[in-house]
Amino acid sequence: MPATDDTPAAQDPTTSADVPPEAASGRAQMMPRWLPRAMVLALALIACFQLGSWAFHQLTGLLINVLIAFFLALAVEPAVSWMAQHGVRRGAATAIVFLGVIIAGAGFVTLLGSMLAGQIVEMVEDFPKYLDSVISWINTTFHTELSRVELQDSLVRSEWLQKYVQNSASGVLDVSAQVLGGMFRLLTVLLFSFYFAADGPRLRRAVCSVLPPAKQAEALRAWEIAVDKTGGYLYSRGLMALISGIAHFILFEFLDVPYAPALAVWVGVISQFIPTIGTYLAGALPMLVAFTVNPWYALWVLGFVVIYQQFENYLLQPKLTARTVDIHPAVAFGSVIAGTALLGAVGALIAIPAVATLQAFLGAYVKRYDVMDDPRVHGHRRRSGPPLARLRHALRGEPTGGPLDDATAEVRDG
């Protein structure tokens, strides 16, 4: 029967018997048409991933600076908004707040620098006296004949001192570069934070413009919580730093410790912005300075630091942070460790306000229930009788009177 147009042979001539077997097997082994496009797409995705990873690593410093600037803008937002509500333009209000922060920071650095410079000069001037007293004690105790002149000559001629001087001279350029880099980073943070604070309403409108109306209220609520917690954290810490500085200043003046104002500022700032262990770290420098006046004064300073830490933990801090950043000390310490591991010193500073913001945001949306009145909730175990009686019942296979056993007994009796 001849093939017509409706037969398969007429529609696809390649299926006819005239096609050689070699051509048919070669056509079956041809590459699919989608495979080259898939390979090109996979290579393009890999290239984009590598490019994005390289760009992210190159811009890590800038992203960290922007993150610091954002939290700093959140911290000054309440003060800027208050001034703006009282008739001050937002840009001028932001400039006033940042000028106050810069003046306070410069004053702290100046006080601390003058104290350290004065202490170093005094220690250098009194170093021969200290060295003579140490040599005299060694000669008296161990019956030696050491001399300060011989020690100085051996120290000057030592190889390790010469290598140290050479390494220090070669590292001057590195230190200068680090100082310049730190200043540039500080200026970058201040610039970004100024724009974030001054253009806060515009930034919020820009964020809300890319969200549907149902999500805009949630974004604004999260923003408000972040502002409240970050600003409340810094303001409460600043107030506690002021109280701590005044208390320690009174002690230093009473003991006649030199550089009492600078030491008080040092203790107030370090003890409050380094959680948990900040008080003890801040108290090390005043103890060292007090030891140069009188060794017993160092013990007085240590005792006062420990007592004030307990007063702050149990009386002062709960009242000041009850409405701002009320998080458990263990959570605060863990968040600081995690922030330090992720971002270093920057992470340690922003960890607590970030965790407080997350805690407040989750607390607003996580549903909570009333806790049942059970002794085990308060840490008490429910006992049914003496231990020997419970053991005897357990050996006999009888219920011991606990909640589960009572239910088992009821089922059995029923």
Side-chain angles (χ1 to χ4, degrees), residues 280-331:
Y280 304 104
L281 293 178
L285 182 60
M287 288 177 57
L288 180 61
V289 176
F291 184 83
T292 60
V293 179
N294 190 336
W296 289 103
Y297 287 176
L299 295 178
W300 278 97
V301 173
L302 177 60
F304 184 82
V305 167
V306 173
I307 294 174
Y308 183 83
Q309 178 70 16
Q310 306 308 315
F311 164 75
E312 181 182 284
N313 289 340
Y314 294 102
L315 294 178
L316 184 62
Q317 184 174 351
K319 294 182 178 180
L320 293 179
T321 61
R323 297 183 179 180
T324 55
V325 185
D326 188 12
I327 60 177
H328 195 274
V331 177

Coordinates of all heavy atoms in Angstrom, one line a residue, residues 280-331:
Y280 N 35.4 45.6 87.2 CA 36.6 45.1 87.7 C 37.8 45.5 86.8 O 38.9 45.8 87.2 CB 36.6 43.6 87.9 CG 35.5 43.2 88.8 CD1 34.3 42.6 88.2 CD2 35.5 43.3 90.1 CE1 33.2 42.2 89.1 CE2 34.5 42.9 91.0 CZ 33.3 42.4 90.4 OH 32.3 42.0 91.2
L281 N 37.5 45.5 85.5 CA 38.6 46.0 84.5 C 38.8 47.5 84.8 O 40.0 47.9 84.7 CB 38.1 45.8 83.1 CG 38.0 44.3 82.7 CD1 37.5 44.2 81.2 CD2 39.4 43.6 82.8
A282 N 37.8 48.3 85.0 CA 38.0 49.7 85.2 C 38.7 50.0 86.5 O 39.4 51.0 86.7 CB 36.6 50.4 85.2
G283 N 38.4 49.1 87.5 CA 39.1 49.3 88.8 C 40.5 49.0 88.9 O 41.2 49.4 89.9
A284 N 41.1 48.3 87.9 CA 42.5 48.0 87.9 C 43.4 49.2 87.8 O 44.4 49.3 88.6 CB 42.8 47.0 86.8
L285 N 43.1 50.2 87.0 CA 43.9 51.3 86.9 C 43.9 52.2 88.1 O 45.0 52.6 88.6 CB 43.5 52.2 85.6 CG 44.3 53.4 85.3 CD1 45.7 53.1 85.1 CD2 43.7 54.2 84.1
P286 N 42.8 52.5 88.7 CA 42.8 53.2 90.0 C 43.5 52.5 91.1 O 44.2 53.1 92.0 CB 41.3 53.4 90.4 CG 40.6 53.3 89.1 CD 41.4 52.4 88.3
M287 N 43.4 51.2 91.1 CA 44.2 50.4 92.1 C 45.7 50.6 91.9 O 46.5 50.7 92.9 CB 43.8 48.9 92.1 CG 42.4 48.6 92.6 SD 42.0 46.9 92.4 CE 43.4 46.1 93.2
L288 N 46.1 50.6 90.7 CA 47.6 50.7 90.4 C 48.0 52.1 90.8 O 49.1 52.3 91.4 CB 47.8 50.5 88.9 CG 49.3 50.6 88.4 CD1 50.2 49.6 89.2 CD2 49.4 50.5 86.9
V289 N 47.2 53.2 90.5 CA 47.6 54.5 90.9 C 47.6 54.7 92.4 O 48.5 55.3 93.0 CB 46.7 55.5 90.2 CG1 47.0 57.0 90.6 CG2 46.8 55.4 88.7
A290 N 46.6 54.1 93.0 CA 46.6 54.2 94.5 C 47.7 53.4 95.2 O 48.2 53.8 96.3 CB 45.2 53.7 95.0
F291 N 48.1 52.4 94.5 CA 49.3 51.6 95.1 C 50.5 52.4 95.1 O 51.4 52.2 96.0 CB 49.5 50.3 94.3 CG 50.5 49.4 94.8 CD1 50.2 48.5 95.9 CD2 51.8 49.4 94.3 CE1 51.2 47.7 96.4 CE2 52.8 48.6 94.9 CZ 52.5 47.7 95.9
T292 N 50.7 53.3 94.2 CA 51.9 54.2 94.2 C 51.9 55.2 95.3 O 52.9 55.7 95.7 CB 52.0 54.9 92.8 OG1 50.9 55.8 92.7 CG2 52.1 54.0 91.7
V293 N 50.7 55.5 95.8 CA 50.6 56.4 97.0 C 50.8 55.6 98.3 O 51.6 56.0 99.2 CB 49.2 57.2 97.0 CG1 49.1 58.1 98.2 CG2 49.1 57.9 95.7
N294 N 50.0 54.6 98.4 CA 50.0 53.7 99.6 C 49.5 52.4 99.3 O 48.4 52.3 98.7 CB 49.2 54.4 100.7 CG 49.4 53.7 102.1 OD1 49.8 52.5 102.2 ND2 49.2 54.4 103.2
P295 N 50.2 51.3 99.5 CA 49.7 49.9 99.2 C 48.3 49.6 99.8 O 47.5 48.9 99.2 CB 50.8 49.0 99.7 CG 52.0 49.8 99.7 CD 51.6 51.2 100.1
W296 N 48.0 50.2 101.0 CA 46.7 49.9 101.6 C 45.6 50.6 100.9 O 44.5 50.2 100.9 CB 46.7 50.4 103.1 CG 47.6 49.5 104.0 CD1 48.8 49.7 104.4 CD2 47.2 48.2 104.4 NE1 49.3 48.7 105.2 CE2 48.3 47.7 105.2 CE3 46.1 47.4 104.3 CZ2 48.3 46.5 105.9 CZ3 46.1 46.1 104.9 CH2 47.2 45.7 105.7
Y297 N 45.9 51.7 100.2 CA 44.9 52.4 99.4 C 44.4 51.6 98.3 O 43.2 51.7 97.9 CB 45.4 53.7 98.9 CG 45.6 54.8 99.9 CD1 46.2 56.0 99.6 CD2 45.3 54.6 101.3 CE1 46.4 57.0 100.6 CE2 45.4 55.6 102.2 CZ 46.0 56.8 101.9 OH 46.2 57.8 102.8
A298 N 45.2 50.7 97.7 CA 44.8 49.8 96.7 C 43.7 48.8 97.2 O 42.7 48.5 96.5 CB 46.0 49.1 96.1
L299 N 43.9 48.4 98.4 CA 42.9 47.5 99.0 C 41.6 48.2 99.3 O 40.5 47.6 99.1 CB 43.5 46.9 100.3 CG 44.7 45.9 100.1 CD1 45.1 45.4 101.5 CD2 44.3 44.8 99.2
W300 N 41.7 49.5 99.7 CA 40.5 50.3 99.9 C 39.7 50.4 98.6 O 38.5 50.3 98.5 CB 40.9 51.6 100.5 CG 41.1 51.6 102.0 CD1 42.3 51.6 102.6 CD2 40.1 51.7 103.0 NE1 42.1 51.6 104.0 CE2 40.7 51.7 104.2 CE3 38.7 51.8 102.9 CZ2 40.0 51.7 105.4 CZ3 38.0 51.9 104.2 CH2 38.7 51.8 105.4
V301 N 40.5 50.7 97.5 CA 39.8 50.9 96.2 C 39.2 49.6 95.8 O 38.0 49.5 95.3 CB 40.8 51.4 95.2 CG1 40.2 51.4 93.8 CG2 41.3 52.8 95.5
L302 N 39.9 48.4 96.0 CA 39.3 47.1 95.6 C 38.0 46.8 96.4 O 37.0 46.4 95.8 CB 40.3 46.0 95.8 CG 39.9 44.6 95.5 CD1 39.5 44.4 94.1 CD2 41.0 43.6 95.9
G303 N 38.0 47.1 97.7 CA 36.8 46.8 98.5 C 35.7 47.7 98.1 O 34.5 47.3 98.0
F304 N 36.0 49.0 97.7 CA 34.9 49.9 97.3 C 34.3 49.4 96.0 O 33.1 49.5 95.8 CB 35.4 51.3 97.2 CG 34.4 52.3 96.9 CD1 33.5 52.8 97.9 CD2 34.2 52.7 95.6 CE1 32.5 53.8 97.6 CE2 33.2 53.7 95.3 CZ 32.4 54.2 96.3
V305 N 35.2 49.0 95.1 CA 34.7 48.6 93.7 C 33.8 47.3 93.9 O 32.7 47.3 93.2 CB 35.9 48.2 92.8 CG1 35.5 47.4 91.6 CG2 36.6 49.5 92.4
V306 N 34.1 46.4 94.7 CA 33.3 45.2 94.9 C 32.0 45.6 95.6 O 30.9 45.1 95.1 CB 34.1 44.2 95.8 CG1 33.1 43.0 96.1 CG2 35.3 43.7 95.0
I307 N 32.0 46.4 96.6 CA 30.8 46.8 97.3 C 29.9 47.6 96.3 O 28.6 47.4 96.3 CB 31.1 47.6 98.5 CG1 31.8 46.7 99.6 CG2 29.8 48.2 99.2 CD1 32.3 47.5 100.8
Y308 N 30.4 48.5 95.6 CA 29.6 49.3 94.7 C 29.0 48.5 93.5 O 27.9 48.7 93.1 CB 30.5 50.5 94.0 CG 29.6 51.4 93.1 CD1 28.9 52.4 93.7 CD2 29.6 51.1 91.8 CE1 28.1 53.2 92.9 CE2 28.9 51.9 90.9 CZ 28.1 53.0 91.5 OH 27.3 53.7 90.7
Q309 N 29.8 47.4 93.1 CA 29.2 46.6 92.1 C 28.0 45.8 92.6 O 27.0 45.7 91.8 CB 30.3 45.5 91.7 CG 29.8 44.5 90.7 CD 29.6 45.1 89.3 OE1 30.1 46.2 89.0 NE2 28.9 44.4 88.4
Q310 N 28.0 45.4 93.8 CA 26.8 44.7 94.4 C 25.6 45.7 94.5 O 24.5 45.4 94.2 CB 27.1 44.1 95.8 CG 28.3 43.2 95.7 CD 28.2 42.1 94.7 OE1 27.2 41.5 94.5 NE2 29.3 41.9 93.9
F311 N 25.9 47.0 95.0 CA 24.9 48.0 95.1 C 24.3 48.3 93.7 O 23.1 48.4 93.6 CB 25.5 49.3 95.7 CG 24.7 50.5 95.5 CD1 23.5 50.7 96.2 CD2 25.0 51.4 94.6 CE1 22.7 51.8 96.1 CE2 24.3 52.6 94.4 CZ 23.1 52.8 95.1
E312 N 25.1 48.3 92.7 CA 24.6 48.6 91.4 C 23.8 47.5 90.8 O 22.8 47.7 90.2 CB 25.8 48.9 90.4 CG 25.4 49.3 89.0 CD 26.6 49.5 88.1 OE1 27.2 50.6 88.3 OE2 27.0 48.6 87.4
N313 N 24.3 46.3 91.0 CA 23.6 45.1 90.4 C 22.2 44.9 91.1 O 21.2 44.5 90.4 CB 24.4 43.9 90.6 CG 25.6 43.9 89.7 OD1 25.7 44.6 88.7 ND2 26.6 43.1 90.1
Y314 N 22.1 45.1 92.4 CA 20.9 44.7 93.1 C 19.9 45.9 93.4 O 18.7 45.6 93.7 CB 21.2 44.0 94.4 CG 21.9 42.7 94.1 CD1 23.2 42.5 94.3 CD2 21.2 41.5 93.8 CE1 23.9 41.3 94.1 CE2 21.8 40.3 93.5 CZ 23.1 40.2 93.7 OH 23.8 39.0 93.5
L315 N 20.4 47.1 93.4 CA 19.6 48.2 93.7 C 19.4 49.3 92.6 O 18.3 49.6 92.2 CB 20.1 48.9 95.0 CG 20.0 48.1 96.3 CD1 20.6 48.9 97.4 CD2 18.6 47.7 96.6
L316 N 20.6 49.7 92.1 CA 20.5 50.8 91.1 C 20.1 50.3 89.7 O 19.2 50.9 89.1 CB 21.9 51.4 91.0 CG 22.1 52.7 90.2 CD1 21.1 53.8 90.7 CD2 23.5 53.2 90.1
Q317 N 20.8 49.3 89.2 CA 20.5 48.9 87.8 C 19.1 48.4 87.6 O 18.4 48.8 86.6 CB 21.5 47.8 87.4 CG 21.4 47.4 85.9 CD 22.4 46.4 85.5 OE1 23.4 46.2 86.3 NE2 22.3 45.8 84.4
P318 N 18.4 47.6 88.5 CA 17.1 47.2 88.2 C 16.1 48.3 88.1 O 15.1 48.3 87.3 CB 16.7 46.3 89.4 CG 18.1 45.8 89.9 CD 19.0 46.9 89.6
K319 N 16.3 49.4 88.9 CA 15.4 50.5 88.8 C 15.6 51.4 87.6 O 14.6 51.9 87.0 CB 15.5 51.4 90.1 CG 15.1 50.7 91.4 CD 15.3 51.6 92.6 CE 14.8 51.0 93.8 NZ 14.9 51.8 95.0
L320 N 16.8 51.5 87.1 CA 17.1 52.3 86.0 C 16.8 51.6 84.6 O 16.4 52.3 83.7 CB 18.5 52.8 86.0 CG 18.9 53.8 87.1 CD1 20.4 54.2 87.0 CD2 18.0 55.0 87.1
T321 N 16.9 50.3 84.6 CA 16.7 49.6 83.3 C 15.4 48.8 83.3 O 15.2 48.0 82.4 CB 17.9 48.6 83.1 OG1 18.0 47.7 84.2 CG2 19.2 49.4 83.1
A322 N 14.5 49.0 84.2 CA 13.3 48.3 84.3 C 12.4 48.6 83.0 O 11.7 47.7 82.5 CB 12.5 48.6 85.5
R323 N 12.5 49.8 82.6 CA 11.6 50.2 81.4 C 12.4 50.4 80.1 O 11.9 50.9 79.2 CB 10.9 51.5 81.8 CG 9.9 51.3 82.9 CD 9.2 52.6 83.2 NE 8.2 52.5 84.3 CZ 7.4 53.5 84.7 NH1 7.4 54.6 84.1 NH2 6.6 53.2 85.7
T324 N 13.7 50.2 80.2 CA 14.5 50.4 79.0 C 15.0 49.1 78.4 O 14.6 48.6 77.4 CB 15.7 51.3 79.3 OG1 16.4 50.8 80.4 CG2 15.2 52.7 79.6
V325 N 16.0 48.5 79.0 CA 16.7 47.3 78.6 C 16.7 46.3 79.7 O 17.6 46.2 80.5 CB 18.1 47.5 78.0 CG1 18.7 46.2 77.4 CG2 18.1 48.6 77.0
D326 N 15.6 45.5 79.9 CA 15.5 44.6 81.0 C 15.8 43.2 80.5 O 14.9 42.4 80.1 CB 14.1 44.7 81.6 CG 14.0 43.8 82.9 OD1 15.0 43.4 83.4 OD2 12.8 43.6 83.3
I327 N 17.0 42.8 80.4 CA 17.4 41.5 80.0 C 18.3 40.8 81.1 O 18.9 41.5 81.9 CB 18.2 41.5 78.6 CG1 19.5 42.3 78.8 CG2 17.4 42.0 77.5 CD1 20.3 42.3 77.5
H328 N 18.3 39.5 81.1 CA 19.0 38.8 82.1 C 20.5 39.0 82.0 O 21.0 39.1 80.9 CB 18.6 37.3 82.0 CG 19.0 36.5 83.2 ND1 20.3 36.0 83.4 CD2 18.3 36.1 84.3 CE1 20.3 35.3 84.5 NE2 19.1 35.4 85.1
P329 N 21.2 39.1 83.1 CA 22.7 39.3 83.0 C 23.4 38.2 82.2 O 24.3 38.5 81.5 CB 23.1 39.3 84.5 CG 21.9 39.7 85.2 CD 20.7 39.2 84.5
A330 N 22.9 36.9 82.3 CA 23.5 35.9 81.6 C 23.3 36.0 80.1 O 24.2 35.8 79.3 CB 23.0 34.5 82.0
V331 N 22.1 36.5 79.7 CA 21.8 36.8 78.3 C 22.7 37.9 77.8 O 23.2 37.9 76.7 CB 20.4 37.0 78.1 CG1 20.1 37.4 76.6 CG2 19.5 35.8 78.5

